[in-house]
Amino acid sequence: MLENIKEFASEFFVTGDPLIYGADVSIVLATLGIVFVLTYFKKWGWLWRNWITTVDHKKIGIMYILAAIVMLFRGGVDAVMMRTQLAFPDLNFLEPEHYNQIFTTHGVVMIFFMAMPLMFGLFNIVVPLQIGARDVAFPYLNSLSFWLFFAGAMLFNLSFVIGGSPDAGWLAYPPLSGSQFNPGVGQNFYIWGIQISGIGSLASGINFIVTILKMRAPGMTMMKMPMFTWSVFAASTTIIFAFPILTITLLLLFMDRFFGAHFFTLDGGGNPMMYINLIWMWGHPEVYIVVLPAFGVFSETVATFARKRLFGYASMVFAMVIISIISFFTWAHHFFTMGSGANVNAFFAVTTMIIAIPTGVKIFNWLFTMYKGRITFPTPMMWTIAFIPAFVVGGMTGVMLSVAPADFQFHNSYFLIAHFHQVLIGGVVFGYFAGLYYWWPKMFGFKLNEYLGKWAFWLWNIGFYVCFMPQYLVGLDGMTRRISVFSDPNWVGLNVVSTIGAYIMGLAFLFQVAQIGYSIFRHEKDTTGDIWDARTLEWSMPSPAPEYNFAVIPQVHGRDEWWEEKERRRRGEKPWQLGPIEPIHMPKNSAIPAIMAICWFVLGFGLVFHWLWMAIPGLIGVFICLYARSFSAHKAEYYIPVEEIERTEATLRGGAV
Amino acid sequence: MAQSPAHGSDHHDHHAAGHHDPQDIKLLGFWIFLVTDVILFSTLFATFIVLRNNTNGFEGGADLFNMTGVIAETFLLLTSSFTSGLAVLAMHQNKVKPMIIWLVITGLLGAGFLALELTEFVELVHEGATLQTSAFWSAFFTLVGTHGVHVTIGIGWMISIIIQIVRRGLNADTKGKVTVFSLYWHFLDAVWIFLLSIVYLMEVM
Ligand code: HEM
Ligand SMILES: [Cu+2]
C-alpha cells in the first residue's frame, strides 16, 4: 500500500530538480502566508464579498491586471533562465528537457496569461467609463470570463509542480505534441489550461461587442466613440472570429491524445500540417488582437498629452477595421517553408505586406497629433514615444520576413525571435504599460510614483534593445531558435550582450514592483478625477469611480466630449444639463462564476490525468451551475435608491454634482 | 456602422441610458454567440473536407452510411424546428399551454433524433468504424458528434425553460428565453442541413 502511494507520488509530483523543489517550497509558503494574513486580519468575508463574487467591471478589471502582473513575473523568470543558459557556449544550467519546458511555458504564459488578461483588464476598467455606461452588457458573464481565465491559468501553472510541464512549444505542433512522442500529461495541461481560459476570452469578446453596440451614452454615435473603445471593438470582433478556431483546434488535438483519433497523427491518415494551418488561422489574428488595444491606448495618450484632438480619426478607425480583416488572410506566412507552392506563398506574402500599410497610417496619425502640440512627458507618454521606434523596426523586420524566399533563411532563426519580441514587447507590452500608468489614477485614486517609473522606463528600454538587437545579428548568422546549447565561438559576444539585456529588463520589472509598492503608501492623490486634464468621459467622474459609475448619464455631442465640456465651462457657457438622479438598476453579486470555474478546473484536471471519476463530476458541476444561474438570474438585480446616490456623490465630489 | 442604432440624440427625455432594453441586449448577445458557433462548425467542416479522403485503407462513408436512418433523422429534426416555431407563435399569442405542448413535442422529436443518431453510431462501431479507425472516421464522429452534443444541450436547456415557465408564467424574461432557445434550435437545424449535404450526400453520391 505504502509502496503504491510512494510510486504514485513520484509520478504525480515533479521531482528531481532543485529549482522545482525551491518552487514547491515557495508556493507552499506563499499560500500559507496568504491564508494567515487573511485569517489574522479577518479578511475572508471582505475577499468573498468585494472580489470573488463581484460583478463590477472595475473590480474584475483590477483582478485581471493583478493576475497578469503575477504571470508577467512567472514568464519573466522563465525568460531570464533561458537567457542564462544561453549566455555562454555549452552551459549546463538547464537540462535540454527542462529548457524545452521553459520556452514552452514562457510563450504560453506571456500570451495567454499575461497579455490577454492585461488586455481584458484594461477593457474592463476603461470601456464602460469611456462610453458612459454603468457596466458591461453582461456583468455576470464578465465575472465568469475572469474566473474561467483564472482557472485555466491555475491549471496550466500547476503543471510545473504536478505531472510535468508541456514541452512542445507555445503552439504545440503535432506530431511532437501528440501522444506518440509526448505520452506524459504536460500537453494535456496545455490543452485544458488554454481551452478553459479561451472560453472565457470568447465570452469577453461577445460581451464587449454588445456593450459597445448597445450601451453607449445617448448622442455617442459610433464615429464619436473614443479611439480606445474603437480598438476594443476591433479586437473583440477579431476574437469572436478567431477564438472558435482555437477551441476546435485544441479539441481535435485532445481527441487525438485522449481517444486515439487520427486528426494530426502520422499514421491512420492524419495530417499534422492541418493543425499548423488551423493554429495559425487563430494565431495570426491573435497577435493583432493583442496589439490593436495597444494602438487604442496610444491614441488616447497621444491626444491627452499633446493637448490636441487625435489626428485623422476616421482613417484610424478605417485602419483598425482593415487590420482586423486582413489579419485573417496572412496566416500561412508562418510556414512559407511548408511547401505549399509559389502561388500560395506569393499570396500570403502580399497580404502580409499589405498589413504594414494601415499600420503605417496609424503611426503617421500619432506623429501628426503630436506635431505642434504642447507635449508633456509623464510616464504614460514616455511609453508612447518609446513605442514608435520600437514598432517601426519590428514592423520593418516583419516585412523582411514576409518576403517568402528570404524567409527560407530567416525562418525559425533568432531573427524571427527578435522580430516578434520587438512587436510584442515594443508594441503590446509598452502599450499596456502606457495604459496602466495612464488609467491607474482612475482605478485607485492616486498616481504611481513618477521617479521610480522613469527608472523602470529607461531600464526597460535599454534592456530591450540590448537584448534583442544582437539577436537579429546572431539570427542572420544562422543561430536557430529553440536550441538549449550552442558551441559556435562566433556567437558568444552577441549572446552575452543579449543576456545582459534580459537581466536589465528583469531589473526594470523589479523597479515597477517597487514603484507600485512605494506608491501605495506615498502618492499624489487624484482629487479632481481628471489628473491628466484629459479628454474622454471616464475623466468626468471622481477617481475611483463609484460602483454605479455615472450618477446621471451625460448627453454626448461630439468626440472628446469631456474636453469640449471643459472648454464650454472655460468660456463661461452653461455646463452639462444633467437630468435628475434616478434609482439605478444594478446586478447583484454572484458566487456562481467562481464555483463554475472550480468545476471547470476539476473537469480539466480529471481529463489531464484521464481520471473520469474526477472529470465527470466536474462536468456535472458545470451544468448544475448553468441551471442554477438560469433559475436565479431574474432575481439577481436591485436598485440603488436616489438618496444613497446623492450621499455617495456628495462625499466623492465634496458637494458639487 | 456610422450611426448609433441604440438611441438617437433626440431622446432627451429618456436620458437614463441605464434603461437599455435587457431583452434586446440579450438577443444581440445571442446572435453574436451564434456567429461564434458558426465559426466553430466551419472549422470542423473544413477539417472534415481536408481529411475526407484519408480513409487509411478502411471503408469510407459511402460504404457504411445507412441513408434510411439519416433521412429519418433529418425528418425528425426538421419537424422539430417547425414545432419550435409553432411554440413561439403560441407564445406571442400568450397561449401558455399550447406553447408548452409544442415545446415538449419539439423536445421529443429532438430526443428521437438523438436516439437514431446514437443507433447509427453504434452500428458503425459494430462495422469497425471508430474514432481510431482513420482520419476520415475521426473527423466524421467529431463533426456529427459535436452537432449531437449541441442538440443534447438544447434539450436540457429547453427542459429548464419549461420548468421556469410553469413556475413563473410568461413574462418579458421567460419570453426572451423561449425566443433565444428557438433561435438556437433553428440554427442546429441549419447546421444539420450542411451536415446532410456535405457529410452524407456528397459521400454517397
Ligand atoms: C507590419 C507588421 C508585421 C509583419 C509584416 C509581420 C510578419 C511576420 C512574419 C512573416 C512572421 C513569420 C516568420 C517566420 O516564421 O519565419 C512573423 C512571425 C511572428 N510575428 Fe509578426 N509581423 C508583423 C507584426 C506583428 C505583430 C504586431 C505581432 C504581435 C503583436 C507579431 C507577432 C509575431 C509572432 C509572435 C511571430 C512568431 C511566432 C512563432 O513562430 O512562434 N508580428 N511575423
Ligand atoms: Cu503572423
Side-chain angles (χ1 to χ4, degrees):
Chain A
M1 184 64 201
L2 198 65
E3 277 308 301
N4 283 341
I5 294 178
K6 255 193 195 158
E7 193 187 310
F8 168 77
S10 72
E11 277 174 25
F12 187 69
F13 295 105
V14 178
T15 49
D17 189 313
L19 283 171
I20 291 188
Y21 291 133
D24 289 346
V25 172
S26 46
I27 289 172
V28 171
L29 284 181
T31 315
L32 287 178
I34 292 171
V35 170
F36 174 78
V37 168
L38 286 172
T39 314
Y40 186 82
F41 292 101
K42 300 205 170 60
K43 286 289 187 192
W44 285 104
W46 165 84
L47 184 69
W48 178 258
R49 278 188 306 276
N50 281 338
W51 299 97
I52 295 181
T53 61
T54 189
V55 292
D56 180 341
H57 67 98
K58 300 177 286 295
K59 288 183 176 161
I60 291 175
I62 289 174
M63 292 194 289
Y64 266 123
I65 290 174
L66 203 66
I69 293 175
V70 174
M71 286 293 109
L72 177 60
F73 173 72
R74 151 122 215 226
V77 171
D78 283 346
V80 166
M81 294 209 296
M82 283 189 287
R83 277 319 316 169
T84 308
Q85 166 66 22
L86 288 181
F88 296 101
D90 304 314
L91 283 189
N92 232 337
F93 171 62
L94 298 173
E95 305 291 314
E97 296 75 28
H98 197 180
Y99 187 88
N100 291 348
Q101 295 178 349
I102 289 186
F103 73 64
T104 302
T105 56
H106 166 76
V108 173
V109 164
M110 285 303 197
I111 294 281
F112 292 96
F113 304 129
M114 188 283 286
M116 292 297 279
L118 200 47
M119 173 182 93
F120 284 132
L122 291 175
F123 283 17
N124 264 292
I125 282 162
V126 181
V127 170
L129 300 182
Q130 256 191 350
I131 63 174
R134 296 245 156 82
D135 207 317
V136 294
F138 308 111
Y140 165 89
L141 184 68
N142 196 25
S143 155
L144 182 60
S145 286
F146 170 76
W147 287 109
L148 286 182
F149 146 71
F150 193 77
M154 286 299 112
L155 187 61
F156 183 84
N157 279 283
L158 207 59
S159 67
F160 184 49
V161 286
I162 291 180
S165 299
D167 59 2
W170 79 284
L171 288 180
Y173 283 6
L176 182 56
S177 61
S179 42
Q180 190 187 353
F181 300 103
N182 223 320
V185 294
Q187 286 314 123
N188 301 343
F189 275 113
Y190 173 95
I191 291 174
W192 286 102
I194 296 178
Q195 190 72 297
I196 292 171
S197 69
I199 296 169
S201 306
L202 192 54
S204 290
I206 299 177
N207 212 338
F208 280 94
I209 293 181
V210 179
T211 304
I212 293 170
L213 286 178
K214 289 281 186 189
M215 312 278 282
R216 280 168 287 127
M220 182 183 281
T221 59
M222 290 298 271
M223 290 307 273
K224 285 181 186 152
M225 285 192 326
M227 194 52 67
F228 180 74
T229 299
W230 256 114
S231 74
V232 174
F233 188 69
S236 301
T237 317
T238 315
I239 287 177
I240 66 158
F241 285 102
F243 267 75
I245 309 180
L246 176 69
T247 309
I248 291 300
T249 312
L250 293 173
L251 174 78
L252 300 185
L253 187 60
F254 168 72
M255 300 293 285
D256 273 5
R257 292 181 57 85
F258 196 89
F259 295 108
H262 290 290
F263 287 102
F264 312 124
T265 53
L266 291 176
D267 56 345
N271 183 350
M273 282 322 293
M274 185 64 197
Y275 179 94
I276 295 169
N277 270 288
L278 287 175
I279 200 85
W280 280 115
M281 284 161 107
W282 159 82
H284 189 82
E286 165 68 8
V287 304
Y288 280 93
I289 288 168
V290 290
V291 86
L292 283 172
F295 292 169
V297 171
F298 297 130
S299 304
E300 302 291 336
T301 49
V302 156
T304 295
F305 296 110
R307 329 211 138 265
K308 280 174 65 188
R309 64 187 297 179
L310 186 65
F311 183 90
Y313 179 96
S315 67
M316 282 297 211
V317 171
F318 187 67
M320 246 159 0
V321 173
I322 289 287
I323 289 177
S324 47
I325 295 172
I326 303 183
S327 72
F328 281 92
F329 298 96
T330 65
W331 78 87
H333 65 213
H334 292 278
F335 42 87
F336 283 137
T337 50
M338 171 171 130
S340 334
N343 290 334
V344 173
N345 277 1
F347 172 83
F348 284 99
V350 171
T351 52
T352 307
M353 293 171 195
I354 287 175
I355 274 213
I357 299 172
T359 315
V361 168
K362 299 181 77 71
I363 302 235
F364 280 108
N365 281 336
W366 291 313
L367 293 177
F368 284 129
T369 306
M370 287 188 263
Y371 178 66
K372 288 200 171 163
R374 281 172 289 130
I375 309 181
T376 48
F377 293 98
T379 37
M381 188 59 171
M382 292 173 73
W383 288 102
T384 306
I385 304 275
F387 148 80
I388 291 180
F391 204 79
V392 167
V393 176
M396 283 191 315
T397 54
V399 175
M400 286 168 73
L401 289 163
S402 74
V403 180
D407 189 56
F408 277 67
Q409 178 65 25
F410 305 138
H411 182 56
N412 278 351
S413 72
Y414 262 85
F415 190 89
L416 167 69
I417 304 291
H419 154 70
F420 70 73
H421 283 91
Q422 185 118 34
V423 280
L424 282 169
I425 297 183
V428 178
V429 176
F430 283 16
Y432 293 176
F433 282 170
L436 201 57
Y437 287 112
Y438 182 58
W439 281 299
W440 186 278
K442 192 43 69 188
M443 292 157 64
F444 296 106
F446 62 87
K447 212 158 113 176
L448 283 174
N449 180 287
E450 286 278 303
Y451 178 78
L452 287 170
K454 285 184 178 161
W455 269 94
F457 170 84
W458 284 110
L459 287 173
W460 259 110
N461 269 273
I462 294 167
F464 170 66
Y465 287 100
V466 172
C467 182
F468 293 109
M469 291 302 129
Q471 293 188 5
Y472 281 121
L473 300 178
V474 79
L476 287 179
D477 207 21
M479 178 160 160
T480 54
R481 73 192 288 197
R482 292 177 177 168
I483 50 171
S484 62
V485 280
F486 68 92
S487 306
D488 191 326
N490 293 321
W491 297 344
V492 179
L494 291 168
N495 274 301
V496 174
V497 174
S498 182
T499 300
I500 293 173
Y503 274 89
I504 299 178
M505 280 189 277
L507 189 63
F509 177 76
L510 294 183
F511 265 90
Q512 287 180 301
V513 174
Q515 180 193 18
I516 294 176
Y518 180 85
S519 308
I520 290 175
F521 297 104
R522 310 184 107 222
H523 52 242
E524 177 189 339
K525 263 216 160 57
D526 177 8
T527 48
T528 60
D530 185 14
I531 198 162
W532 311 113
D533 192 11
R535 315 176 73 82
T536 41
L537 283 183
E538 73 270 33
W539 305 103
S540 71
M541 59 172 55
S543 299
E547 58 170 334
Y548 47 77
N549 296 354
F550 296 86
V552 178
I553 306 281
Q555 171 80 36
V556 175
H557 310 85
R559 286 172 207 154
D560 295 351
E561 178 66 21
W562 175 238
W563 182 262
E564 301 295 329
E565 169 67 11
K566 287 189 283 188
E567 290 285 288
R568 282 195 289 273
R569 290 183 191 174
R570 283 193 266 268
R571 287 195 301 264
E573 286 170 26
K574 237 173 40 180
W576 267 346
Q577 289 298 302
L578 294 176
I581 292 181
E582 290 177 5
I584 295 177
H585 189 209
M586 296 290 288
K588 279 190 198 156
N589 282 2
S590 172
I592 301 176
I595 296 174
M596 200 199 299
I598 293 176
C599 296
W600 274 102
F601 181 91
V602 171
L603 168 65
F605 195 84
L607 290 175
V608 164
F609 283 95
H610 292 226
W611 291 343
L612 289 182
W613 55 265
M614 187 171 182
I616 291 170
L619 186 65
I620 294 174
V622 170
F623 280 105
I624 291 177
C625 289
L626 288 171
Y627 253 67
R629 170 63 186 178
S630 179
F631 278 83
S632 63
H634 64 287
K635 289 180 285 193
E637 298 161 347
Y638 71 104
Y639 279 90
I640 308 182
V642 173
E643 308 82 67
E644 194 185 322
I645 303 168
E646 279 169 348
R647 233 177 305 127
T648 316
E649 290 292 304
T651 29
L652 286 176
R653 295 176 187 258
V657 175
Chain B
M1 252 342 131
Q3 79 279 45
S4 152
H7 25 56
S9 41
D10 47 344
H11 278 215
H12 279 287
D13 47 335
H14 113 314
H15 46 77
H19 302 176
H20 308 278
D21 174 15
Q23 296 311 324
D24 204 30
I25 290 180
K26 279 186 197 155
L27 196 62
L28 178 65
F30 198 77
W31 271 109
I32 298 178
F33 162 74
L34 284 186
V35 172
T36 66
D37 228 19
V38 168
I39 310 284
L40 205 94
F41 276 108
S42 313
T43 314
L44 284 170
F45 273 110
T47 311
F48 177 80
I49 291 170
V50 167
L51 298 177
R52 77 180 322 153
N53 294 325
N54 300 13
T55 50
N56 192 26
F58 188 76
E59 287 153 299
D63 315 302
L64 295 185
F65 285 153
N66 165 9
M67 286 312 283
T68 350
V70 174
I71 304 291
E73 282 171 44
T74 311
F75 177 75
L76 288 180
L77 202 64
L78 291 191
T79 317
S80 81
S81 209
F82 179 65
T83 55
S84 82
L86 291 179
V88 173
L89 273 183
M91 179 190 80
H92 284 311
Q93 298 162 344
N94 279 321
K95 295 183 183 157
V96 181
K97 232 193 194 147
M99 187 198 73
I100 293 183
I101 293 175
W102 284 124
L103 281 182
V104 171
I105 294 177
T106 307
L108 290 176
L109 290 169
F113 167 86
L114 280 178
L116 282 185
E117 184 159 87
L118 278 179
T119 326
E120 183 202 346
F121 280 12
V122 171
E123 277 171 12
L124 285 171
V125 171
H126 277 299
E127 312 260 1
T130 65
L131 269 174
Q132 296 88 18
T133 310
S134 67
F136 171 85
W137 288 109
S138 301
F140 168 83
F141 281 113
T142 308
L143 172 55
V144 180
T146 304
H147 177 265
V149 169
H150 273 73
V151 174
T152 316
I153 291 176
I155 293 175
W157 182 16
M158 189 186 62
I159 294 172
S160 113
I161 295 177
I162 293 179
I163 299 174
Q164 292 182 50
I165 292 175
V166 170
R167 279 201 198 159
R168 288 162 48 209
L170 273 184
N171 53 34
D173 182 46
T174 46
K175 275 185 177 173
K177 292 189 185 209
V178 176
T179 314
V180 163
F181 167 76
S182 79
L183 249 175
Y184 177 77
W185 201 258
H186 290 315
F187 165 74
L188 292 186
D189 212 33
V191 174
W192 178 258
I193 300 294
F194 279 94
L195 274 173
L196 178 71
S197 20
I198 294 180
V199 177
Y200 291 102
L201 294 181
M202 275 171 74
E203 202 59 32
V204 292
M205 295 286 207

